[in-house]
């Protein structure tokens, strides 16, 4: 459990984070419609994803860690990424952003810290727009994105099926 006074640090993600990042993501795969992946991943299956987010460039991985050490490591509380929006070259100045938090880390400002660090890192990159797709309903994510200047642009209705039902995805964009 997190204490109210836990110091949180944000840093680039590194390969040694892979197990913890996979565990966080798999929670959302198994328990929520927030991601439309339906089968949990092994860390090895997620390795190429992690390596596609170097410390520089437009595709970043920022990790929030508990500022206190547990043994030789720090607990990962969540992460934020910027990834290619689409594969075609004309989309290269657009990124899709996302945040995933450990199940007990929500509502503590960690998402805000992660996005602040991510958008600061992107400030000098050749990136024009950021896009976020938010599976609905998800008021907390919508509020976070609006705080960072995202504006609603439309909803894909019943675009994904998970847990025996269809889910909408609301799309938001931000000028960079």
């Amino acid at each position: 459990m997190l204490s109210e006074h836990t110091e949180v640090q944000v840093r680039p993600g590194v390969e040694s984070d892979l197990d913890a990042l996979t565990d966080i993501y798999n929670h959302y795969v198994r328990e929520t419609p927030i991601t439309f992946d339906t089968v949990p991943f092994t860390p090895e299956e997620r390795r190429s994803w992690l390596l596609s987010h170097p410390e520089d460039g437009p595709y970043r991985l920022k990790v929030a860690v508990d500022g206190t050490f547990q043994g030789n490591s720090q607990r990962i509380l969540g992460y934020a990424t910027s990834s290619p929006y689409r594969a075609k070259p004309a989309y290269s100045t657009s990124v899709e952003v996302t945040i995933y938090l450990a199940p007990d880390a929500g509502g503590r400002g960690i998402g805000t810290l992660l996005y602040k660090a991510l958008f600061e890192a992107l400030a000098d990159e050749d990136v024009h727009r950021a896009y976020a797709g938010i599976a609905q309903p998800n008021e907390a994510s919508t509020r976070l994105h609006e705080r960072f200047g995202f504006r609603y642009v439309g909803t894909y209705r019943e675009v994904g099926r998970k847990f025996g039902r269809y889910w909408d995805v609301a799309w938001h964009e931000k000028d960079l």
Side-chain angles (χ1 to χ4, degrees), residues 13-147:
V14 295
E15 198 161 353
S16 61
D17 298 331
L18 186 58
D19 287 350
L21 296 174
T22 301
D23 287 345
I24 290 170
Y25 188 72
N26 282 341
H27 163 78
Y28 291 93
V29 172
R30 286 187 307 271
E31 306 293 331
T32 78
I34 289 173
T35 176
F36 286 174
D37 281 317
T38 59
V39 177
F41 290 86
T42 66
E44 191 55 40
E45 290 170 328
R46 292 280 286 175
R47 184 173 307 288
S48 63
W49 164 83
L50 184 137
L51 296 176
S52 71
H53 294 89
E55 198 167 327
D56 60 354
Y59 311 131
R60 305 286 183 105
L61 167 61
K62 294 295 184 180
V63 174
V65 295
D66 181 328
T68 59
F69 281 86
Q70 300 169 0
N72 289 333
S73 64
Q74 294 175 299
R75 179 171 175 246
I76 294 179
L77 303 173
Y79 65 93
T81 62
S82 57
S83 301
Y85 174 68
R86 296 278 193 268
K88 296 178 181 176
Y91 290 118
S92 67
T93 60
S94 297
V95 293
E96 185 172 347
V97 297
T98 192
I99 287 185
Y100 288 94
L101 299 178
D104 65 341
R108 302 191 26 92
I110 295 168
T112 297
L113 291 173
L114 283 164
Y115 261 178
K116 183 176 184 295
L118 180 65
F119 292 125
E120 285 174 0
L122 294 176
D124 293 327
E125 298 296 334
D126 183 22
V127 181
H128 183 62
R129 290 264 197 288
Y131 295 91
I134 305 170
Q136 297 297 299
N138 190 336
E139 290 180 33
S141 185
T142 299
R143 281 192 310 270
L144 174 66
H145 287 86
E146 288 173 350
R147 273 197 310 275

